[in-house]
Amino acid sequence: MSSEYTILRVRVTAKDADTLRALLRDSRPDVGGQVRQNEDGSFTFDAYVSPEQGEALTREGVSAEVIEDATATGRARQAEVGEGDRFAPEDAVPQGLALKVQGS
């Protein structure tokens, strides 16, 4: 699979607030959730990035750990979804504005 269609969920840890601010200012990752401060004073957050962006996050004072392939997880969840409207009665007539086409 091409990496341009792959989105990873990574856990990013910055050693301190200044390092975190610099990282967010420079790379602007898609942050998923809140930034948490750890007991040792470091900061952690999850981000959704391409593999290339994930590699670019790692620098002095910052680590990025891949948690999951979010694209694969999303596709697996989409496969669980059925088709049609499961709440509609079987004899339901479509409603709304449209043209009724008689035979082809």
Side-chain angles (χ1 to χ4, degrees):
M1 178 184 294
S2 172
S3 64
E4 71 182 20
Y5 296 108
T6 301
I7 299 295
L8 303 174
R9 181 168 66 111
V10 297
R11 178 140 313 132
V12 181
T13 303
K15 68 178 182 176
D16 56 35
D18 291 333
T19 305
L20 174 66
R21 277 192 217 83
L23 173 72
L24 293 174
R25 183 180 50 247
D26 296 343
S27 59
R28 297 192 157 305
D30 184 4
V31 176
Q34 295 181 319
V35 176
R36 298 172 301 278
Q37 186 170 14
N38 302 316
E39 292 179 11
D40 64 357
S42 65
F43 292 86
T44 303
F45 64 92
D46 287 356
Y48 292 88
V49 296
S50 69
E52 294 81 16
Q53 292 169 323
E55 290 176 12
L57 289 174
T58 303
R59 56 181 75 177
E60 185 177 338
V62 179
S63 65
E65 171 191 1
V66 176
I67 302 300
E68 70 175 334
D69 180 342
T71 302
T73 302
R75 288 196 174 120
R77 295 298 169 269
Q78 288 173 354
E80 296 172 0
V81 178
E83 296 195 12
D85 184 355
R86 66 184 174 145
F87 298 106
E90 290 188 28
D91 61 344
V93 177
Q95 302 290 316
L97 299 174
L99 295 175
K100 184 173 182 178
V101 179
Q102 297 289 333
S104 299

